[in-house]
Amino acid sequence: MQVFFLAFNPQNSYNVIMDEEKLCFAAIEFVDDPNVAGYFYWYISPLEGIKEGDKVIAPLGRHNNLQEGIVRKVRYDFEYNAPYPLHSIKSIRSFVKRSFDVQDS
């Protein structure tokens, strides 16, 4: 799928950017950490098929300590619509436990 959009350049010229892909963003809640429980933190997810309810390992805080968190929201969007400034957003490292839909039991 090819996507075309105009990006504003500070020198008053416009550039056409092509082949922009959507990124996967996930809001993580770290329920086991009393300092941040109840807050959601946005991450980029390199993990395929991530969904709400999955338990993941992600870096948290200024020292990037790896902690277990729960995915509360998943959003696919373009870089320019990132829910948090892309230069500051961190990436999820791995799954701990996947939540599965029980349909064919």
Side-chain angles (χ1 to χ4, degrees):
M1 176 173 149
Q2 287 193 340
V3 176
F4 298 93
F5 67 94
L6 294 175
F8 179 73
N9 186 330
Q11 286 78 25
N12 292 330
S13 63
Y14 290 87
N15 299 326
V16 175
I17 300 173
M18 300 173 7
D19 292 334
E20 178 100 9
E21 294 289 327
K22 285 189 175 184
L23 300 172
C24 179
F25 299 98
I28 309 295
E29 181 183 12
F30 298 94
V31 294
D32 294 333
D33 187 333
N35 296 315
V36 296
Y39 295 99
F40 293 175
Y41 295 89
W42 285 101
Y43 289 82
I44 290 178
S45 176
L47 307 175
E48 190 172 315
I50 194 166
K51 60 183 183 285
E52 292 178 13
D54 287 343
K55 289 189 179 183
V56 296
I57 299 293
L60 181 65
R62 136 175 42 170
H63 299 291
N64 292 322
N65 294 325
L66 295 179
Q67 293 195 26
E68 184 177 310
I70 300 173
V71 177
R72 296 299 188 198
K73 295 179 186 177
V74 176
R75 173 177 158 183
Y76 291 89
D77 216 332
F78 296 107
E79 183 177 317
Y80 58 86
N81 279 338
Y84 193 78
L86 209 54
H87 63 83
S88 299
I89 201 164
K90 300 174 185 180
S91 293
I92 296 172
R93 299 294 166 85
S94 64
F95 284 112
V96 171
K97 184 176 167 185
R98 308 262 334 245
S99 63
F100 295 100
D101 296 326
V102 180
Q103 294 177 358
D104 299 322
S105 317

